[in-house]
Every structure is written in C-alpha cells, then in structure tokens.
Amino acid sequence: MNLRLHIHHVLTGGWCADIDDDHDRQPDDPYWCVDHWPTVQEAITAGCHQLARLSATLQSTHRLARMSDRHDLLEGCPPI
C-alpha cells in the first residue's frame, strides 16, 4: 500500500491535510483527514506525523482505520 499526503486550501479558510492510498482516490473516504489548519506548515507537519504513524501501523497489521476531523475539534493532539 502506497500512502500519500495531500495538502490543499479549504475554501472556508485554513488548510486540509489528508492521507489516502493509490487505489482509493475517493476524497470522501481517506485514511486520515483533518481540515481547518491555520497554516500550511501546521497541516504539513501534522500530516507527516500521521503518515509516519500509519506507516508504522502497516508494519504490524494490514488494516488501517479511517478518520476525519477538524483541527479545532481535535483533543489530545500532539503539539506541532
């Protein structure tokens, strides 16, 4: 599985970071998606951290959970 990180500007403000694989290009069902990051750098940093976590999970299992949320609603998120 090849995971890819995508960063794009949200029309309502902020930046969105999402991770998906090459075989599922549907934007409505990513493995991870968090939007409304205040800066592009925060979105990239958070996405890279999550990509590393998902890659480590793939080392021990072949199943990944899918998650979507908003940056301002996340609790317990590691500092960027």
Side-chain angles (χ1 to χ4, degrees):
M1 176 183 292
N2 293 321
L3 297 175
R4 297 183 306 167
L5 171 63
H6 299 195
I7 306 294
H8 52 92
H9 192 260
V10 180
L11 294 176
T12 57
W15 295 87
C16 180
D18 68 74
I19 295 174
D20 218 332
D21 63 4
D22 290 336
H23 301 293
D24 182 14
R25 296 175 186 238
Q26 299 295 326
D28 60 339
D29 193 23
Y31 282 103
W32 181 82
C33 180
V34 178
D35 61 5
H36 292 87
W37 292 99
T39 68
V40 69
Q41 186 58 49
E42 288 175 309
I44 292 170
T45 301
C48 288
H49 284 277
Q50 187 63 28
L51 190 58
R53 284 187 205 113
L54 291 174
S55 295
T57 300
L58 281 174
Q59 298 295 327
S60 61
T61 183
H62 294 287
R63 303 181 93 189
L64 292 177
R66 295 181 185 267
M67 189 281 282
S68 294
D69 212 337
R70 283 177 51 132
H71 164 260
D72 52 355
L73 300 177
L74 289 179
E75 291 184 20
C77 185
I80 297 174

